Amino acid sequence: MTIIGHTLGFPRIGLHRELKYALEYYWNGKIKENKLLEIGRTLRRRHWKQQKDSGIDWIPVGDFAWYDHVLTTSMMLNNIPNRHRTDQENDNLTTLFRISRGYSFNKKLIPPAEMKKWFNTNYHYIVPEFVHTQEFRLNWMQLFDEIDEALSLKYTVKPILLGPISYLWLGKVKGKKFDRLSLLPNLLSVYQEILDILSSKNIDWVQIDEPILVLELPFQWLEAYLSTYEQLHGTVKLLLTTYFDNIYHQLDIITQLKIDGLHADLVSNSDNIPLLHAQLPKHWVLSAGVINGRNIWKTNLHNWFKKLSPLVGERKLWIGSSCSFLHSPIDLNIETKLKKHIKEWFAFAVQKCCEIKMLCTALNAKYADDSTHEDILSEYYVSNNLRSDSSAIYNIQVKKRLEDINEIAHSRCAPYATRVTLQHKKLNLPLLPTTTIGSFPQTKEIRKLRFRFKNNQINKEDYHLNIKNYIKEIIIEQEKLGLDVLVHGEPERNDMVEYFGENLNGFIFTQNGWVQSYGSRCVKPPVIIGDISRSKPITTEWINYAQSLTKKPIKGILTGPVTIMYWSFPREDIQRKTIALQLALSIRDEVIDLEKFGIGIIQIDEPALREGLPLKHSDQKKYLEWAIDVFRITVSSVKDETQIHTHMCYSEFSDIMDSILALDADVISIEASRSDEKMLQSIQYVTKNLNEIGPGIYDIHSPNAPTQNELITKINQLLKYIPKQRLWINPDCGLKTRSWPETKQSLSNMVSAAKLLRKQSYLP
Ligand SMILES: [Zn+2]
């Protein structure tokens, strides 16, 4: 019984983000389709080879996608929204990109399909749409073509399919309401056809992803698993894969399924190997997901060796990544700027493949009573065990501050009802105050300036002078526009998380640690390696300068601790909560400094607060409690008359409404430009209790500037739900990616709409 090594998928974007650039060139008409196809083929070949060369036995196929793998599945099932269909009889890449990006028709934008976060990751998938008359049929042969491609290169291929029930769960009903599960019989007939084709290609194993099994599912969805796998089983062997959390709560159902193996993520949430071994049918493969697909630290292989050893010879065992390596950067070897002893702590996707191989080899050797490989595993982790001696990691002052954390207030002095009077008196803002979320357009010149400074092509004095000139321009524009609360515009910030990471102790940065966020968009998360502290003020120079230029209040913008943590690769030797508290104390120092210099409005952005939410409801309460505490510690130092804002980039928050209230921010701005009734009711609930709110009144991503009349209609709609004393007027997100002309046009219409409404005596 040889122990097999496999991955659940490999990053598709390419070591140098080749896919990103190819897509963008293709969209801009700079390369033709055949060139794009060729680049895709080159990347797939390279990624298969990298895995094979690292010792992976089963090569995954089906992880490559032109935009997103859920969208590829929709294409394969011929689930294409009518508005995106092309005229041609056969669907092509144009159709695929219409779904993901929208397109213009008769000067009107046909909207793309919705994008949503992939479970609790920072990857976004394209949400499948289901209509009442939905019919699935096999279409779009990408998977089969890629399998042929890999087979022709003599790889042992393990195709990946997104399982039918997860597919239905992840989609949404459009138009007339109906139960998505009613589509299952038709859907299964297509899956059956797919499996038949795979079988005809002599495929042995198929990886069928059913990640929703980690959630707490309604009974009828769980029950559907029984009949589904009864029907699908028999043609090829099925490895049912789950990831991002444990599945112990579902074992009663899972163990009854007609499948041939189960993959469990043993990294995300408490491994219980003995339980799995005891419960799973004896003939099943257990695929142990022990190599973390979502972080970049080396694996303590010897630890896993000890845990898995009792199973050797007892059951068919596979070793794999916890989830797809989609969420990991590709290759540590090309990082040239990391200090040698620090670099030794990490493993990217390629190195993680080698880890899988090492663990397989040691376990296989154990089966043959050979223990030499065990020593290799211990040796491998030595550098990480020595980490505790590193001064880059431990900071005694940070430890001391955390121990004393209960000596500082965890909430503001006075309740909102008292604060609001003081704040309104001090700020003296008109009704329906207008503001923006924080960032202004980042022109090519600004990016170039930062690049030159980073590469020592200009000195600090020149750089600061230039940044201040941009701030001045941004202030002048805002005054011209007539906005009530101004911002400094953030020209000095490359990214809202990276910027703070670069200015705090405890972070390092990679050169090429890119991870796909959606489509061609990638992020390069900072790495938290040690205790976090702030040595000196980060933003005060810029924000104070902005305030010196105007009599209007400047809102100081800071990124919140929870967001900085979730958009970084966190360390794994301490709890998330501890990391967040260290960040909270650092940002708290910044808040204190801003207030000291007379900044009367401070906004803490927490777009990732919701992202950190555990997947199981039963785990959420605990998370929300500490996340709220972290926010409150960040801002509790300020005087009652200082106004605290927070911004969140999502509109679905009815389920965490009470937590948003518990943040006790004075003003929250949210992404609500496309608000529906449910959303408005949520807002009404907030404002009835406390807080002022700025539901974004227009979508900054829309290519057409909203007209004054459209904005008036929107504000009037909001006023039906929100008392006029509590409503702020702002766009739905930062303006960093927008151009100046459209920004000016939209903001000008926004300000004039607010002014017009203020004048009207019939304002409710
Ligand atoms: Zn936003």
Side-chain angles (χ1 to χ4, degrees), residues 622-726:
K622 207 172 145 205
Y623 160 78
L624 285 168
E625 272 169 14
W626 69 250
I628 291 162
D629 195 38
V630 159
F631 183 90
R632 294 170 67 134
I633 287 171
T634 310
V635 299
S636 66
S637 64
V638 300
K639 288 181 241 151
D640 290 333
E641 61 183 28
T642 299
Q643 194 171 57
I644 295 293
H645 290 220
T646 186
H647 170 66
M648 305 188 176
C649 301
Y650 42 81
S651 47
E652 265 182 57
F653 60 76
S654 45
D655 52 341
I656 56 162
M657 191 51 77
D658 288 312
S659 304
I660 291 185
L661 288 178
L663 294 176
D664 193 29
D666 300 306
V667 183
I668 59 174
S669 65
I670 46 170
E671 192 176 298
S673 57
R674 277 171 280 186
S675 49
D676 52 20
E677 195 64 21
K678 192 176 152 205
M679 166 80 199
L680 290 165
Q681 280 163 2
S682 306
I683 290 177
Q684 190 169 32
Y685 178 74
V686 176
T687 48
K688 250 189 200 156
N689 289 277
L690 36 117
N691 299 91
E692 290 154 59
I693 189 163
I697 65 162
Y698 73 89
D699 175 5
I700 57 129
H701 296 104
S702 168
N704 307 318
T707 65
Q708 186 185 301
N709 278 340
E710 282 165 0
L711 292 168
I712 288 177
T713 310
K714 179 77 197 183
I715 298 171
N716 276 325
Q717 184 199 14
L718 290 167
L719 282 167
K720 286 188 199 135
Y721 296 85
I722 304 168
K724 60 186 171 191
Q725 298 82 357
R726 300 263 174 97

Side-chain angles (χ1 to χ4, degrees), residues 164 188 191-192 195 208 227-235 238:
L188 287 182
Y191 270 81
Q192 190 61 62
L195 294 176
I208 191 151
S227 54
T228 294
Y229 285 87
E230 176 76 45
Q231 191 178 332
L232 293 184
H233 122 278
T235 6
L238 297 178

Side-chain angles (χ1 to χ4, degrees), residues 319-587:
I319 302 298
S321 51
S322 63
C323 57
S324 168
F325 285 139
L326 177 65
H327 314 287
S328 160
I330 296 185
D331 190 357
L332 181 66
N333 283 329
I334 60 158
E335 296 297 323
T336 54
K337 290 193 176 159
L338 294 178
K339 287 189 187 127
K340 189 171 171 288
H341 75 282
I342 290 181
K343 193 170 164 180
E344 277 178 12
W345 299 340
F346 305 128
F348 293 0
V350 170
Q351 289 72 36
K352 285 167 188 280
C353 289
C354 297
E355 291 185 338
I356 292 173
K357 174 65 182 174
M358 283 168 76
L359 190 53
C360 284
T361 307
L363 288 165
N364 278 320
K366 182 185 162 63
Y367 190 55
D369 261 341
D370 166 6
S371 67
T372 48
H373 290 273
E374 235 189 291
D375 301 335
I376 300 175
L377 298 190
S378 309
E379 185 62 29
Y380 177 72
Y381 203 63
V382 164
S383 56
N384 289 53
N385 282 330
L386 292 175
R387 218 163 62 211
S388 49
D389 295 333
S390 170
S391 59
I393 304 285
Y394 293 100
N395 179 326
I396 188 81
Q397 269 119 8
V398 174
K399 191 167 173 251
K400 177 86 180 64
R401 274 189 91 181
L402 276 187
E403 279 166 6
D404 297 343
I405 202 150
N406 286 326
E407 285 167 24
I408 62 170
H410 287 227
S411 58
R412 306 276 300 269
C413 272
Y416 172 74
T418 311
R419 301 196 304 260
V420 64
T421 322
L422 297 168
Q423 289 166 13
H424 284 194
K425 199 173 151 220
K426 183 185 171 200
L427 295 167
N428 195 24
L429 296 169
L431 220 48
L432 308 179
T434 53
T435 189
T436 60
I437 299 304
S439 60
F440 267 79
Q442 294 229 334
T443 56
K444 263 193 194 132
E445 291 74 34
I446 294 183
R447 288 172 200 278
K448 203 169 151 195
L449 175 68
R450 278 201 313 261
F451 178 85
R452 289 179 61 210
F453 179 55
K454 211 172 174 179
N455 290 285
N456 299 319
Q457 291 167 11
I458 52 166
N459 63 33
K460 195 178 161 188
E461 285 69 38
D462 281 347
Y463 175 70
H464 280 227
L465 206 70
N466 275 298
I467 288 289
K468 283 184 174 168
N469 281 336
Y470 284 119
I471 292 175
K472 197 178 206 167
E473 278 173 33
I474 292 165
I475 296 292
I476 291 171
E477 280 308 332
Q478 292 176 91
E479 292 214 308
K480 260 198 241 161
L481 285 163
L483 287 154
D484 300 306
V485 171
L486 313 191
V487 294
H488 82 289
E490 304 174 21
E492 80 287 9
R493 299 185 194 174
N494 39 3
D495 171 273
M496 63 184 286
V497 170
E498 191 168 53
Y499 180 74
F500 284 90
E502 280 171 350
N503 286 284
L504 292 167
N505 305 315
F507 286 81
I508 58 152
F509 300 85
T510 62
Q511 291 155 277
N512 291 290
W514 295 101
V515 178
Q516 188 180 20
S517 173
Y518 62 87
S520 68
R521 179 77 168 270
C522 300
V523 293
K524 189 159 67 65
V527 187
I528 301 175
I529 59 161
D531 290 337
I532 295 157
S533 60
R534 189 195 74 144
S535 323
K536 55 178 193 325
I538 302 169
T539 64
T540 49
E541 182 184 352
W542 314 121
I543 297 173
N544 293 340
Y545 175 68
Q547 186 64 81
S548 75
L549 301 171
T550 177
K551 289 202 169 63
K552 290 193 169 171
I554 293 281
K555 175 169 68 165
I557 315 283
L558 305 174
T559 306
V562 174
T563 297
I564 297 179
M565 179 179 67
Y566 276 106
W567 288 355
S568 301
F569 287 116
R571 54 197 278 205
E572 290 178 339
D573 56 337
I574 59 172
Q575 287 186 341
R576 297 276 163 106
K577 180 183 165 185
T578 311
I579 301 174
L581 281 172
Q582 292 180 355
L583 279 160
L585 291 173
S586 306
I587 303 296

Side-chain angles (χ1 to χ4, degrees), residues 196-377:
D196 286 341
I197 299 175
L198 295 179
S199 163
S200 74
K201 292 182 187 294
N202 292 320
I203 292 296
D204 195 9
W205 280 92
V206 171
Q207 168 185 327
I208 191 151
D209 287 1
E210 288 285 7
I212 67 162
L213 278 167
V214 306
L215 308 175
E216 290 153 322
L217 296 171
F219 181 70
Q220 60 280 30
W221 284 81
L222 264 181
E223 209 185 16
Y225 272 94
L226 293 170
S227 54
T228 294
Y229 285 87
E230 176 76 45
Q231 191 178 332
L232 293 184
H233 122 278
T235 6
V236 285
K237 284 185 224 150
L238 297 178
L239 178 76
L240 188 83
T241 37
T242 61
Y243 37 84
F244 299 145
D245 207 340
N246 67 52
I247 32 88
Y248 306 130
H249 59 307
Q250 237 72 285
L251 278 181
D252 277 352
I253 291 280
I254 292 176
T255 49
Q256 293 179 56
L257 300 181
K258 289 279 179 56
I259 51 176
D260 306 277
L262 175 75
H263 174 87
D265 177 344
L266 298 176
V267 175
S268 284
N269 195 359
S270 71
D271 66 277
N272 193 338
I273 294 166
L275 175 78
L276 286 172
H277 180 48
Q279 300 263 312
L280 300 189
K282 289 281 167 281
H283 64 283
W284 280 16
V285 163
L286 170 61
S287 167
V290 298
I291 310 296
N292 194 345
R294 297 180 61 173
N295 210 338
I296 59 166
W297 298 88
K298 264 186 181 173
T299 310
N300 186 340
L301 294 172
H302 194 250
N303 204 9
W304 287 112
F305 175 84
K306 282 186 287 183
K307 288 181 176 176
L308 291 165
S309 286
L311 271 61
V312 174
E314 297 295 313
R315 81 154 55 239
K316 280 179 257 175
L317 188 62
W318 290 13
I319 302 298
S321 51
S322 63
C323 57
S324 168
F325 285 139
L326 177 65
H327 314 287
S328 160
I330 296 185
D331 190 357
L332 181 66
N333 283 329
I334 60 158
E335 296 297 323
T336 54
K337 290 193 176 159
L338 294 178
K339 287 189 187 127
K340 189 171 171 288
H341 75 282
I342 290 181
K343 193 170 164 180
E344 277 178 12
W345 299 340
F346 305 128
F348 293 0
V350 170
Q351 289 72 36
K352 285 167 188 280
C353 289
C354 297
E355 291 185 338
I356 292 173
K357 174 65 182 174
M358 283 168 76
L359 190 53
C360 284
T361 307
L363 288 165
N364 278 320
K366 182 185 162 63
Y367 190 55
D369 261 341
D370 166 6
S371 67
T372 48
H373 290 273
E374 235 189 291
D375 301 335
I376 300 175
L377 298 190

Side-chain angles (χ1 to χ4, degrees), residues 23-82:
L23 287 168
E24 288 169 1
Y25 285 150
Y26 175 72
W27 294 333
N28 294 328
K30 287 183 190 154
I31 59 169
K32 294 261 184 302
E33 184 174 307
N34 57 2
K35 180 71 188 164
L36 177 65
L37 295 177
E38 187 196 310
I39 292 169
R41 199 158 43 235
T42 309
L43 286 172
R44 286 193 295 274
R45 282 176 183 238
R46 189 201 296 162
H47 297 155
W48 294 333
K49 186 167 186 311
Q50 280 174 317
Q51 293 175 80
K52 185 71 194 170
D53 289 350
S54 309
I56 295 299
D57 297 299
W58 296 95
I59 301 299
V61 176
D63 49 352
F64 181 83
W66 293 110
Y67 200 95
D68 157 51
H69 55 278
V70 181
L71 175 57
T72 315
T73 310
S74 289
M75 292 291 287
M76 177 160 71
L77 300 167
N78 195 38
N79 180 15
I80 297 163
N82 271 333

